[in-house]
Amino acid sequence: MQLPFGDYLVGNSLYPLALDLFVPTILFFFFGASYRVFRYFAVYKKPFVPYATSVMRETSSTEKVKRLVDTFANSSKVGMKRKPITTGTGLLMHLALIVMIFLLAQHMIFWAYYIPPYKILFPLAIPESSTDGELALTLATSPYTSTPYPFVHDIWGPLTIILNGQYITYLLIILLGIYLGHKFHALAEGLTLRSGDWWFFLLLYIDVILGLLATSHIPNNVVAYDNLLGAHILIAEVLIATLPFTRGFHMFEFYLGKVREWYFMTYRRGEK
């Protein structure tokens, strides 16, 4: 569909194409994810851990929860001891990505369009820039038009000076740069890297920059904005569609593996 906007047809850009491809992208992702999960269970071999006895004592619910937390925390503890820079960078990058993908106001509107109950999380939305937080901190002003969630009196308050899409994007660019630098360093030392590593992180880096340019309206014209936003969504769709076959899928497989590890350590300890 094309709509007239001055001398420019709004529909004549990458943006509507990106929107049309979103549902097929999700379907392709679920197909690939189902394959990866099936393969994980099909080829998984539980490592045998010897114990003095395979008879388990009664374990309280509190102890089970504690073991679950320890199972997840241990990998980070070991990583921080062996590779503190890459592990710390990875943890911060994961946190920043989660906040950006699921709590940035523009992204939340997108998710709520396809998943209406997502609107419940709207009060947690973070703004795209630090302007709202600066107003809340320095002027304590309110918008002239009343809204359900006044932009300077949201749940985050002045914290939005730093908790906003603009600054988190800067942080992501730095963290991804460190991570890619580590990959280049490993490559220079002759280590073999999987193509999925490069594919995922390079596309993610490009997508973050495109999102920043689109949000900042650089360049400042409607044609460029539509194409930048469309390219941002298209690359995100490529990332989502190929996620089950790249390094990025570890964000799901890691948790699956840790839960499985906790299950065997707690309920089937000492089995061969």
Side-chain angles (χ1 to χ4, degrees), residues 14-272:
L14 293 176
Y15 180 61
L17 173 63
L19 294 182
D20 290 341
L21 291 177
F22 182 71
V23 173
T25 297
I26 296 300
L27 293 176
F28 193 86
F29 165 78
F30 277 112
F31 172 78
S34 299
Y35 161 74
R36 284 292 299 269
V37 172
F38 171 77
R39 193 184 70 171
Y40 176 84
F41 283 107
V43 303
Y44 178 84
K45 294 182 179 180
K46 179 182 74 68
F48 172 66
V49 181
Y51 291 93
T53 175
S54 61
V55 178
M56 291 289 292
R57 294 180 298 176
E58 288 294 328
T59 305
S60 66
S61 298
T62 303
E63 182 63 23
K64 291 177 182 177
V65 173
K66 181 178 179 297
R67 287 181 181 178
L68 180 61
V69 173
D70 288 341
T71 301
F72 281 94
N74 285 339
S75 59
S76 297
K77 292 177 182 177
V78 173
M80 290 300 291
K81 289 181 180 179
R82 295 180 178 178
K83 299 178 179 179
I85 295 178
T86 53
T87 302
T89 299
L91 291 173
L92 282 175
M93 186 169 62
H94 279 75
L95 180 60
L97 279 172
I98 290 172
V99 172
M100 283 291 289
I101 293 171
F102 298 108
L103 292 184
L104 183 67
Q106 287 84 344
H107 290 168
M108 293 187 79
I109 293 172
F110 184 85
W111 292 121
Y113 177 80
Y114 291 98
I115 311 172
Y118 202 81
K119 295 177 181 178
I120 298 174
L121 299 178
F122 275 4
L124 298 177
I126 63 171
E128 65 180 35
S129 72
S130 61
T131 304
D132 294 354
E134 291 172 358
L135 288 172
L137 182 64
T138 59
L139 301 177
T141 58
S142 299
Y144 289 111
T145 304
S146 59
T147 60
Y149 310 110
F151 70 106
V152 293
H153 293 295
D154 58 16
I155 193 172
W156 303 112
L159 189 60
T160 53
I161 290 179
I162 57 173
L163 188 61
N164 58 76
Q166 181 183 11
Y167 287 175
I168 295 177
T169 299
Y170 294 153
L171 177 63
L172 274 174
I173 290 174
I174 294 172
L175 294 175
L176 282 168
I178 294 173
Y179 216 79
L180 284 172
H182 169 71
K183 296 295 182 185
F184 280 116
H185 178 70
L187 189 64
E189 291 185 342
L191 298 178
T192 302
L193 297 177
R194 295 179 300 179
S195 60
D197 287 1
W198 293 106
W199 175 267
F200 178 77
F201 288 112
L202 282 175
L203 281 185
L204 182 60
Y205 198 87
I206 294 171
D207 201 36
V208 169
I209 293 176
L210 286 175
L212 176 64
L213 292 175
T215 305
S216 304
H217 294 274
I218 301 174
N220 189 18
N221 66 74
V222 68
V223 180
Y225 175 77
D226 263 14
N227 282 307
L228 280 173
L229 185 58
H232 173 63
I233 298 173
L234 279 172
I235 291 181
E237 288 170 343
V238 172
L239 279 169
I240 293 172
T242 59
L243 194 63
F245 311 101
T246 65
R247 174 73 172 176
F249 196 71
H250 85 282
M251 68 180 71
F252 302 100
E253 211 166 41
F254 170 80
Y255 296 105
L256 183 62
K258 286 299 178 182
V259 169
R260 193 176 177 90
E261 177 185 333
W262 167 79
Y263 169 74
F264 278 109
M265 294 290 289
T266 303
Y267 293 99
R268 300 175 64 177
R269 183 176 174 182
E271 289 186 3
K272 293 185 179 180

